[in-house]
Amino acid sequence: MSSIIFDETPDARADARVAGWRGGLIPPHRGLRIMPHERTRQALAFVLGPVFALAVALATRPIILPLWAAIERFWCAQAAPAVGVMRLSYALPWGIRLAIPVPDLGATGPSRAAWIVSAVLVGVTLLMATLLRRRHLPLSLALFTLAAVFAVGAAGFTPLLAPFPYSIPGYIQSMLLMGLTLMFMTPLLLMAIYYPLNFSLSKKLTLTLLALAWLAVVLPCQFCLQAFVISELGLIALPTLFLLSGLLLDVMGLVALYAWGMSWRLRHE
């Protein structure tokens, strides 16, 4: 009895590349397909990206920053009505100033008790990571990473590296400015990796608006929450929050949206 897997004829070997184990055909993944080049689609891709990026830039002062201030005021009113939202001015190179809304919160460096509690938590985390069985290796590595990140961040408060250069308002302002930059760059990134593909114009517009809406809503919520966490735990929590729950989470959301957009049907399917 022969099969196409062991048959050495040229036709059988060619069939074996696309044949499933039940005899059906496995088409190539769309990521390996070659799409026909259309100048119109390429030209549209190079137009959409700058148009959306310009729209983000023009909407920053009249729409985005007031929206962020309103979202932060809402969460501050829910968490601590006595906490207000202040605006920190940031001057762009060409003379335009941005009023970045940040919660009016403060925090101090770690006390002696905080150092003791932190050392105990790091020790317990490392012990748990060591005692976990091999089948829990991903969790073990995650615990090791968490402990290492916290230890490296805490080193910034030692006499060797002190004083710690950040406060809550300055940190939140910097992260929101980075978020604005990410919003501006998102359409330009999609211009390179999504717009040239053979999706309909409505799908390209939908993915772009979803990505921008994700950043516009999540950024103020995320860093307002971080401001309250740092205010409660102290500045020793800031480096860990920056490394593990900073813009990395927002980028992961963009990647998830992009993956969803890539699963949509092409125009010829």
Side-chain angles (χ1 to χ4, degrees):
M1 183 173 64
S2 64
S3 68
I4 61 173
I5 301 300
F6 298 103
D7 196 338
E8 292 299 326
T9 63
D11 292 339
R13 286 198 298 270
D15 291 341
R17 299 173 185 174
V18 296
W21 68 278
R22 290 185 175 179
L25 296 180
I26 302 176
H29 189 271
R30 69 170 59 190
L32 301 177
R33 299 176 190 174
I34 299 177
M35 296 182 182
H37 176 77
E38 296 180 9
R39 292 185 178 180
T40 303
R41 188 170 69 242
Q42 302 298 328
L44 180 63
F46 283 104
V47 170
L48 281 180
V51 166
F52 274 108
L54 180 61
V56 170
L58 295 177
T60 297
R61 296 176 69 184
I63 298 177
I64 298 176
L65 292 181
L67 172 65
W68 287 2
I71 292 175
E72 291 180 10
R73 282 195 296 269
F74 171 79
W75 288 118
C76 288
Q78 300 299 316
V83 176
V85 175
M86 60 181 181
R87 295 178 179 268
L88 296 183
S89 179
Y90 181 82
L92 297 175
W94 42 88
I96 299 177
R97 289 189 171 274
L98 300 178
I100 309 298
V102 299
D104 189 8
L105 292 168
T108 61
S111 62
R112 182 181 180 87
W115 277 114
I116 295 175
V117 172
S118 299
V120 171
L121 290 177
V122 170
V124 170
T125 302
L126 291 175
L127 180 62
M128 290 175 58
T130 304
L131 296 179
L132 285 175
R133 296 182 179 181
R134 185 172 181 81
R135 64 181 177 178
H136 300 302
L137 183 60
L139 178 59
S140 178
L141 293 176
L143 292 175
F144 271 120
T145 302
L146 178 61
V149 167
F150 187 86
V152 171
F157 297 91
T158 60
L160 182 63
L161 300 177
F164 191 70
Y166 295 103
S167 61
I168 292 181
Y171 166 69
I172 301 301
Q173 181 194 34
S174 299
M175 298 308 296
L176 291 179
L177 285 170
M178 293 172 63
L180 280 175
T181 304
L182 182 60
M183 289 186 67
F184 179 80
M185 292 298 298
T186 295
L188 302 179
L189 292 173
L190 292 176
M191 178 183 69
I193 63 176
Y194 191 76
Y195 295 163
L197 304 179
N198 195 23
F199 292 100
S200 64
L201 177 61
S202 62
K203 288 184 173 64
K204 296 174 183 178
L205 295 177
T206 299
L207 182 62
T208 306
L209 293 176
L210 285 174
L212 294 177
W214 158 260
L215 294 174
V217 174
V218 170
L219 282 168
C221 298
Q222 173 185 356
F223 292 110
C224 186
L225 174 61
Q226 286 196 22
F228 278 99
V229 171
I230 296 170
S231 178
E232 291 295 324
L233 301 181
L235 289 174
I236 196 171
L238 191 154
T240 304
L241 290 175
F242 169 73
L243 291 173
L244 298 182
S245 61
L247 289 183
L248 176 63
L249 294 181
D250 307 291
V251 173
M252 290 173 63
L254 292 178
V255 172
L257 288 172
Y258 176 74
W260 183 34
M262 286 297 295
S263 70
W264 297 342
R265 291 186 178 274
L266 299 172
R267 287 193 297 180
H268 64 270
E269 293 181 333

